[in-house]
Amino acid sequence: MATTSTPVTHHGGQHAPHASYLEDPQYRGLMSWLTTVDHKRIGLMYLWSVLTAFLLGGLFALALRLELLTPKEDFMTAETYNKVFTLHGAVMVFLFIIPAIPAALGNFVLPLMLGAKDVAFPRLNLASYYVYMTGAIMALTAILTGGIDTGWTFYTPYSTTTGGAVTLMTFSVFVLGFSSIFTGINFVATVHKLRAPGMGWFDLPLFVWGTYATAIIQVLATPVLAITLLLLAFERMFQIGIFDAKLGGDPVLFQHFFWFYSHPAVYIMILPGMAIISEIIPPFSKKHIFGYRAIAFSSVAIALISFIVWGHHMFTSGQSQLAAVIFSFLTFLVAIPSGIKVFNWVATMYRGSISLDTPMLYAISFLLLFTIGGLTGIFLGALSVDIHLHDTYFIVAHFHYVMMGGTVIAFLAGVHYWWPKMFGRMYNETWARIGCILVFFGFNITFLNQFAMGAKGMPRRYYSYLDQFQGNHIGSTVGSWVLALGLFIAAGVLLASLRKKYDAPDNPWGARTMEWETQSPPITHNFPNNPVMQHGPYDFDAPAVRRES
Amino acid sequence: MSSHTLPAPGDTHGHDAHGHHDPNLQHHFVEMAQQFDTAKLGMWLFLATEILMFGGLFVGFGLQQAKFPEAFKAAHHHLDRNMGALNTVVLLISSFTMVLAVWAAQTGRRKVLITNLILTLACAGTFLVVKYFEYSHKIHDGLLPGKFFHYAQGQPNEYIFFSFYFMMTGLHGSHVVLGMGAITWLLIRAIKGDFGPGYYTPVDLVGLFWHLVDLIWIYLFPLLYLIG
Amino acid sequence: MTSGAHAAGHYDHANDWKLYLGILIALLILTVVTVSAASFDFGSANVIIAVLIATCKATLVALFFMHLRHDSAVNAIIFLSSLLFLSFLLILCLIDIGSRIEPKPANWKGPSPGVIYPADLDKPVAPATGAAPASGTTPATPAAAPAAKH
């Protein structure tokens, strides 16, 4: 139905359709992909890479859930279980979620939204991809040569004393950090300097605001992770005496350093997700976004506040009570901009003409799931409650509601939303919706059970448990199968569409942002001419967009 | 794309509206000023990451220093203040010659540019030579980081100071080496005559990087050599 | 246009080298100041004095050698925000470490430990009495029990 508002393509002189970036005769063959500096192609390479990582991390998760079906050891020993949950966490965090939205979708969409021909530093962009691949290969090597059983957080003193390939893994994360920094530098510079003529800061689509805030965090937080991991590796190799209490170090200092990066990193993960939702809700409600500036500023506010709340990961780690109280107070501040966003999204939908296409279904799922994840985060930010709930499945459920229910659902929403633009094909809407609904219910079955058993005291990171928790564990495992089925259907629907000929219109959803003004898929240089800003990104009253020719 | 400055053959179309083709203009920029500002912004972002990376080390150093003030005080007496001061002066002079190089490129003085780049390289080399003497002295005495520390009369925990000393000066020294590589590259291009008032972006960017290296040493010197 | 490459090129650069030379001399003087200041002991103010002088030098370098004085404000904001966020790391870590209560066994009856010296963490505390190990190694050696912890 949304296609009815597709703008009439201008049949001007040079309309003979340009070859898209996917089959530009100037850039053919494998080498043209491996050496490309085109942000769209780099975005696609990132997309396939992060999806592979998602598949890998997901398979680890399914294995964990299967082991937990019964209270006793089934097919994993305690040690294997430790390694598998570390791999699940590390792969999902460092190889999938952090690069997923900015580096894959952001790379593709951001310059198009700005009306730019490319990101500011195309070669740096390609370098970032290869650095990512190097880090990924190092991580896989670490997995194959001994594994890591520290959890993805590498807490000292365990990580400085345990065996396995921890040193290699920390170097791999060190390298992956640089890939993230390069993307961040690129995006900040692009947003500052490559906007189309006439496009002011408050004409930017909200996706750009979100990725911009993310990029700030990437630039300012990731270097501290790099130096932390370097120190950790040196502590392991040379016993330099910074994190190991036996040598005069302070293990809690490691947690400070680690979370100084990794808490903002949580917002590296969720901010782009929020940004996608801000982008999807208006066209499917056919309404201007409610509270544009509030959403834009709340993105930046989240980015800034995210730097001063990290201590809420350490309430039970031995930091001082004064510090804990300060961090707890600051943590509540983050809830304000997050709440602003949720209310504005709902207000945008209010009395809109809502069409429930797949991206919108995912966006609504996001609203429900992220709200649950966010509210339980407030419980956990309260000191006294956290003492009870820390290191239980309640925490696990909370951050899966934010990371999976928030970021991954938003990522799926974005992939379904921009798929026609990326590949020029429409997917089967019915099956895609079925996939979305299965994902939604499977997710809730999996993790609502974990909330319940966490509140009852089931600790996280154990391969066996007391019989009384088995009911919830069975529910959670069955839920993970439903979730997996939904994801496989979604993947199948999308991949099946690739066998078709190009059938996507330029603007299938009737959106108003600039990426829909070029053809689907876009030409190598994005726009036939340098585009000029003609109307706002959510200006649904403006006359139908006319593609320049 | 194949070369750093020349757009690839396919990139030259689409600029006809601007009527000229500066060979240094990349295809996705409209004009040179935009490209210059963007490059500079990117460099400053990179410098911010450098500051935070070194900053993590400084914070770790400060906290451990507060924890073991006596050990750190005793340990810093093993450092040679004169060598440190000499290196400070050398780096400050190299910063001066570097900024002169930028100025020379800006104002089209090719010979001044080349001379100053060579002088900067010479200063950087001097810095490394002095560092080499300092390091070999420490290695000889066994004043080494972590488990390699074997100085006979060492106080407890002195090795933590030397862990930081070697990490901080080592990371800084690796930046000096990287900077020397970049300056050498500038020198080659300057001799080829690539730079002038119309295009001196690389000189400016390497200059910024070099000043940051200087800036970090400005803090390292008093903290390590003077206060301990 | 090619001359557009001057971001700050609206004035004559020809005499800039004199300015740079002046800055270099100022930097060298400050270096002498910081070295000679280090020969006096101001107690805990030592660090503050050294960092203040270093910051003066760094400011000169940033403003003149790195051209921040004439540069676009965005670059200065990036530079300053990196320092701001670094200060978050430092301050919040200091708040924690400065206000920590020493970890010791609940029934510890030994001397008030200051810091339990790391090497002793290896040795068991007698569970019944909470006394320090019989070997007589008291936890605090003079060099290692910093008063700063209290």
Side-chain angles (χ1 to χ4, degrees):
Chain A
M1 50 115 294
T3 53
T4 50
S5 63
T6 304
V8 181
T9 318
H10 187 75
H11 292 284
Q14 62 177 77
H15 182 58
H18 298 275
S20 80
Y21 75 103
L22 291 169
E23 63 250 325
D24 191 326
Q26 281 185 39
Y27 306 102
R28 279 187 179 285
L30 183 64
M31 279 314 285
S32 79
W33 279 85
L34 294 180
T35 60
T36 186
V37 288
D38 180 356
H39 69 98
K40 299 183 289 302
R41 289 183 166 213
I42 295 172
L44 283 202
M45 295 200 291
Y46 257 121
L47 183 67
W48 297 124
S49 311
V50 298
L51 286 176
T52 311
F54 185 45
L55 179 67
L56 193 65
L59 292 176
F60 286 133
L62 286 174
L64 292 172
R65 282 312 325 163
L66 195 60
E67 165 64 36
L68 291 169
L69 197 56
T70 69
K72 297 284 165 280
E73 176 178 327
D74 296 314
F75 62 97
M76 281 188 207
T77 62
E79 201 180 25
T80 323
Y81 184 86
N82 284 356
K83 284 183 179 167
V84 174
F85 79 64
T86 302
L87 295 181
H88 167 69
V91 168
M92 282 297 196
V93 169
F94 294 116
L95 293 180
F96 171 63
I97 299 189
I98 289 180
I101 297 179
L105 295 179
N107 240 329
F108 189 94
V109 176
L110 186 94
L112 287 168
M113 281 184 159
L114 298 173
K117 287 202 178 82
D118 208 325
V119 291
F121 311 112
R123 274 182 297 263
L124 188 69
N125 201 13
L126 183 64
S128 131
Y129 178 72
Y130 281 111
V131 171
Y132 168 83
M133 285 310 281
T134 312
I137 290 167
M138 285 167 72
L140 288 178
T141 318
I143 291 168
L144 295 176
T145 60
I148 314 101
D149 60 353
T150 60
W152 73 277
T153 50
F154 307 114
Y155 271 8
T156 54
Y158 188 64
S159 58
T160 51
T161 49
T162 178
V166 178
T167 309
L168 183 59
M169 191 67 187
T170 51
F171 278 121
S172 130
V173 175
F174 179 85
V175 169
L176 288 170
F178 279 99
S179 143
S180 184
I181 289 175
F182 291 167
T183 306
I185 290 179
N186 236 328
F187 282 8
V188 174
T190 308
V191 175
H192 270 279
K193 297 293 180 192
L194 290 182
R195 303 193 300 272
M199 190 185 272
W201 279 92
F202 294 109
D203 301 321
L204 294 176
L206 287 166
F207 180 77
V208 176
W209 273 99
T211 12
Y212 178 74
T214 311
I216 293 176
I217 307 179
Q218 286 177 309
V219 168
L220 289 177
T222 318
V224 177
L225 175 76
I227 202 68
T228 310
L229 293 175
L230 211 57
L231 287 170
L232 177 65
F234 285 170
E235 183 80 315
R236 266 179 80 85
M237 294 187 295
F238 310 132
Q239 297 162 3
I240 55 174
I242 175 157
F243 296 139
D244 191 341
K246 235 166 142 180
L247 304 168
D250 182 353
V252 180
L253 188 62
F254 175 81
Q255 298 190 17
H256 277 302
F257 275 33
F258 181 81
W259 288 113
F260 181 81
Y261 163 74
S262 292
H263 191 75
V266 170
Y267 295 91
I268 293 180
M269 306 175 205
I270 191 66
L271 270 174
M274 295 168 158
I276 288 179
I277 301 305
S278 308
E279 214 49 63
I280 288 179
I281 286 182
F284 291 95
S285 305
K286 287 284 168 291
K287 264 184 70 191
H288 193 283
I289 189 94
F290 186 90
Y292 173 92
R293 286 188 186 219
I295 295 182
F297 285 133
S298 66
S299 294
V300 179
I302 288 176
L304 299 184
I305 299 173
S306 74
F307 277 91
I308 48 176
V309 301
W310 77 80
H312 65 224
H313 294 271
M314 304 161 54
F315 285 159
T316 60
S317 298
Q319 71 176 339
S320 80
Q321 289 174 2
L322 176 66
V325 170
I326 292 173
F327 278 124
S328 177
F329 170 74
L330 292 172
T331 300
F332 290 129
L333 290 183
V334 188
I336 298 170
S338 311
I340 288 174
K341 280 178 186 286
V342 172
F343 291 132
N344 279 316
W345 292 324
V346 176
T348 305
M349 289 166 67
Y350 178 66
R351 304 194 72 167
S353 161
I354 295 176
S355 47
L356 294 175
D357 294 299
T358 315
M360 186 61 170
L361 274 188
Y362 276 110
I364 294 173
S365 311
F366 173 96
L367 282 182
L368 295 167
L369 301 177
F370 174 74
T371 305
I372 296 176
L375 287 177
T376 50
I378 298 189
F379 304 175
L380 295 170
L383 273 172
S384 52
V385 184
D386 184 72
I387 303 293
H388 174 64
L389 293 175
H390 86 277
D391 271 357
T392 67
Y393 267 68
F394 196 90
I395 298 274
V396 178
H398 156 68
F399 69 70
H400 278 91
Y401 263 88
V402 179
M403 297 292 92
M404 171 107 199
T407 309
V408 178
I409 295 287
F411 173 71
L412 290 170
V415 169
H416 283 87
Y417 180 62
W418 283 302
W419 190 265
K421 183 56 68 183
M422 291 170 131
F423 297 101
R425 284 105 165 171
M426 302 304 289
Y427 45 83
N428 183 319
E429 188 64 37
T430 314
W431 278 101
R433 285 184 207 181
I434 291 173
C436 174
I437 290 165
L438 283 175
V439 166
F440 179 77
F441 284 103
F443 178 83
N444 278 304
I445 299 168
T446 310
F447 291 104
L448 277 178
N449 272 303
Q450 298 192 3
F451 272 131
M453 65 179 139
K456 286 187 278 183
M458 168 77 206
R460 67 193 281 204
R461 294 185 166 171
Y462 281 89
Y463 75 110
S464 67
Y465 51 87
L466 298 178
D467 291 340
Q468 70 211 54
F469 296 116
Q470 194 178 9
N472 284 132
H473 269 299
I474 291 176
S476 186
T477 303
V478 172
S480 73
W481 297 337
V482 178
L483 177 56
L485 178 67
L487 288 171
F488 277 115
I489 289 177
V493 170
L494 291 175
L495 293 178
S497 78
L498 292 182
R499 303 175 48 165
K500 296 194 294 180
K501 286 200 171 114
Y502 291 153
D503 63 348
D506 290 353
N507 188 356
W509 318 117
R512 286 293 179 266
T513 41
M514 227 178 225
E515 78 270 26
W516 303 106
E517 293 183 23
T518 184
Q519 67 181 51
S520 299
I523 57 169
T524 301
H525 291 298
N526 292 352
F527 299 93
N529 288 322
N530 292 332
V532 176
M533 180 91 190
Q534 287 168 334
H535 56 75
Y538 308 108
D539 215 352
F540 291 95
D541 299 330
V545 178
R546 186 177 61 81
R547 193 167 89 211
E548 286 195 28
S549 58
Chain B
M1 301 294 146
S2 50
S3 99
H4 189 267
T5 52
L6 298 172
D11 289 338
T12 46
H13 62 76
H15 286 286
D16 303 332
H18 305 288
H20 67 84
H21 298 280
D22 189 306
N24 294 310
L25 184 65
Q26 290 175 306
H27 83 281
H28 55 297
F29 292 109
V30 176
E31 51 169 18
M32 286 303 279
Q34 183 196 21
Q35 179 174 317
F36 177 78
D37 288 348
T38 311
K40 207 155 173 176
L41 180 71
M43 193 65 200
W44 273 104
L45 289 164
F46 173 70
L47 296 188
T49 69
E50 291 278 15
I51 289 171
L52 278 150
M53 191 161 87
F54 274 98
L57 271 180
F58 275 102
V59 171
F61 175 82
L63 295 176
Q64 290 297 73
Q65 199 261 357
K67 196 172 178 184
F68 304 112
E70 304 297 327
F72 272 51
K73 197 156 198 80
H76 100 282
H77 287 304
H78 295 298
L79 300 187
D80 189 334
R81 219 172 248 203
N82 296 329
M83 295 264 214
L86 173 63
N87 258 352
T88 309
V89 172
V90 166
L91 266 196
L92 286 176
I93 292 174
S94 80
S95 241
F96 171 67
T97 54
M98 190 69 222
V99 79
L100 282 188
V102 176
W103 168 77
Q106 224 171 13
T107 51
R109 296 169 163 85
R110 186 159 152 260
K111 276 190 180 153
V112 182
L113 168 65
I114 292 171
T115 318
N116 275 297
L117 288 177
I118 293 173
L119 284 176
T120 314
L121 270 183
C123 286
T126 315
F127 179 89
L128 287 180
V129 170
V130 174
K131 207 80 231 154
Y132 166 77
F133 282 117
E134 284 191 78
Y135 272 7
S136 49
H137 183 241
K138 302 285 171 306
I139 292 168
H140 178 261
D141 284 355
L143 295 163
L144 287 168
K147 64 178 178 188
F148 304 114
F149 186 86
H150 57 86
Y151 183 66
Q153 297 95 41
Q155 285 210 31
N157 296 318
E158 263 192 62
Y159 66 90
I160 300 178
F161 177 87
F162 285 99
S163 302
F164 276 101
Y165 170 78
F166 276 97
M167 275 191 299
M168 294 168 107
T169 56
L171 192 61
H172 179 263
S174 66
H175 280 74
V176 173
V177 174
L178 283 179
M180 287 175 76
I183 294 169
T184 313
W185 169 72
L186 284 187
L187 187 60
I188 295 168
R189 287 192 63 186
I191 290 169
K192 280 199 277 181
D194 283 354
F195 304 125
Y199 178 71
Y200 59 91
T201 317
V203 190
D204 208 21
L205 299 192
V206 174
L208 284 178
F209 177 79
W210 191 253
H211 296 312
L212 185 88
V213 171
D214 186 26
L215 212 112
I216 286 164
W217 183 260
I218 285 177
Y219 282 93
L220 276 182
F221 169 61
L223 288 181
L224 289 175
Y225 289 79
L226 301 182
I227 309 294
Chain C
M1 31 228 70
T2 44
S3 58
H6 290 281
H10 305 300
Y11 70 103
D12 186 17
H13 287 288
N15 284 319
D16 276 3
W17 66 272
K18 290 180 189 160
L19 174 70
Y20 297 142
L21 188 61
I23 299 298
L24 175 67
I25 292 167
L27 287 170
L28 292 175
I29 291 171
L30 283 171
T31 307
V32 174
V33 171
T34 191
V35 172
S36 43
S39 55
F40 302 100
D41 190 5
F42 301 102
S44 57
N46 278 341
V47 178
I48 297 169
I49 291 170
V51 169
L52 272 183
I53 298 174
T55 304
C56 290
K57 291 164 78 176
T59 312
L60 288 179
V61 171
L63 280 183
F64 294 96
F65 286 180
M66 299 172 99
H67 305 120
L68 272 185
R69 198 172 52 129
H70 290 299
D71 212 346
S72 134
V74 181
N75 295 340
I77 291 170
I78 292 169
F79 180 59
L80 291 178
S81 59
S82 72
L83 298 177
L84 176 73
F85 284 92
L86 191 60
S87 70
F88 288 158
L89 176 66
L90 179 66
I91 291 169
L92 286 165
C93 282
L94 276 179
I95 287 178
D96 167 31
I97 289 172
S99 62
R100 257 188 230 166
I101 294 163
E102 300 310 330
K104 55 176 184 272
N107 57 352
W108 175 268
K109 295 206 183 95
S112 172
V115 168
I116 296 183
Y117 196 53
D120 290 292
L121 287 181
D122 272 351
K123 300 184 180 99
V125 171
T129 64
S135 62
T137 48
T138 47
T141 53
K149 296 300 290 188
H150 287 288

Coordinates of all heavy atoms in Angstrom, one line a residue, chain A residues 42-43 46-47 98-108 128 183 187:
Chain A
I42 N 31.2 -0.8 1.0 CA 31.8 -1.1 2.3 C 30.7 -1.4 3.3 O 30.8 -2.3 4.1 CB 32.7 0.1 2.7 CG1 33.8 0.3 1.8 CG2 33.2 -0.1 4.1 CD1 34.7 1.5 2.0
G43 N 29.6 -0.7 3.2 CA 28.5 -1.0 4.1 C 28.0 -2.4 3.9 O 27.7 -3.1 4.8
Y46 N 30.4 -4.9 5.3 CA 30.2 -4.9 6.7 C 28.9 -5.7 7.1 O 28.9 -6.5 8.0 CB 30.0 -3.5 7.3 CG 31.3 -3.0 8.0 CD1 31.9 -1.8 7.5 CD2 31.8 -3.6 9.1 CE1 33.0 -1.3 8.2 CE2 32.9 -3.1 9.8 CZ 33.5 -2.0 9.3 OH 34.6 -1.5 10.0
L47 N 27.8 -5.5 6.3 CA 26.6 -6.1 6.6 C 26.7 -7.6 6.6 O 26.3 -8.3 7.5 CB 25.5 -5.7 5.6 CG 24.1 -6.2 5.8 CD1 23.5 -5.7 7.1 CD2 23.2 -5.9 4.6
I98 N 28.3 -3.8 18.1 CA 28.9 -2.5 17.9 C 29.1 -2.0 16.5 O 28.7 -0.9 16.2 CB 30.3 -2.5 18.7 CG1 30.0 -2.5 20.2 CG2 31.2 -1.3 18.3 CD1 31.3 -2.6 21.0
P99 N 29.5 -2.9 15.6 CA 29.6 -2.4 14.2 C 28.2 -2.5 13.4 O 28.1 -1.9 12.4 CB 30.6 -3.3 13.5 CG 30.7 -4.5 14.3 CD 30.2 -4.2 15.7
A100 N 27.3 -3.2 14.0 CA 26.1 -3.6 13.1 C 25.4 -2.4 12.5 O 25.4 -2.2 11.3 CB 25.1 -4.4 14.0
I101 N 24.9 -1.5 13.4 CA 24.2 -0.4 12.8 C 25.0 0.7 12.3 O 24.9 1.1 11.1 CB 23.1 0.1 13.8 CG1 22.2 -1.0 14.2 CG2 22.4 1.3 13.3 CD1 21.1 -0.6 15.2
P102 N 26.0 1.2 13.0 CA 26.8 2.3 12.4 C 27.6 1.8 11.2 O 27.5 2.5 10.1 CB 27.8 2.7 13.5 CG 27.2 2.2 14.8 CD 26.5 1.0 14.4
A103 N 28.4 0.8 11.3 CA 29.3 0.4 10.2 C 28.5 -0.2 9.0 O 28.9 0.0 7.9 CB 30.4 -0.5 10.7
A104 N 27.5 -0.9 9.2 CA 26.8 -1.6 8.1 C 25.7 -0.7 7.6 O 25.8 -0.1 6.4 CB 26.2 -2.9 8.5
L105 N 24.7 -0.4 8.3 CA 23.6 0.4 7.8 C 24.0 1.9 7.7 O 23.7 2.6 6.8 CB 22.4 0.3 8.7 CG 21.7 -1.1 8.8 CD1 20.5 -1.1 9.7 CD2 21.3 -1.5 7.4
G106 N 24.7 2.4 8.8 CA 25.1 3.8 8.8 C 26.0 4.1 7.6 O 25.8 5.1 6.9
N107 N 26.9 3.2 7.3 CA 27.8 3.5 6.2 C 27.0 3.6 4.9 O 27.3 4.5 4.1 CB 28.8 2.3 6.0 CG 30.2 2.7 6.2 OD1 30.5 3.8 5.8 ND2 31.0 1.8 6.7
F108 N 26.0 2.8 4.8 CA 25.3 2.8 3.5 C 24.4 4.1 3.5 O 24.4 4.8 2.5 CB 24.4 1.6 3.4 CG 23.7 1.4 2.1 CD1 24.3 0.6 1.1 CD2 22.5 2.1 1.8 CE1 23.7 0.5 -0.1 CE2 21.9 2.0 0.6 CZ 22.5 1.2 -0.4
S128 N 39.0 0.8 7.9 CA 38.3 0.4 9.0 C 37.7 -1.0 8.8 O 37.7 -1.9 9.7 CB 37.1 1.4 9.3 OG 35.9 0.7 9.5
T183 N 35.5 4.5 12.0 CA 34.2 4.8 11.6 C 33.7 6.0 12.3 O 33.0 6.9 11.7 CB 33.2 3.6 12.0 OG1 33.8 2.4 11.4 CG2 31.8 3.8 11.5
F187 N 32.4 9.5 10.5 CA 31.0 10.0 10.6 C 30.9 11.4 11.1 O 30.1 12.2 10.6 CB 30.1 9.0 11.4 CG 29.7 7.8 10.7 CD1 30.3 7.5 9.5 CD2 28.9 6.9 11.3 CE1 29.9 6.3 8.8 CE2 28.5 5.7 10.6 CZ 29.1 5.4 9.4

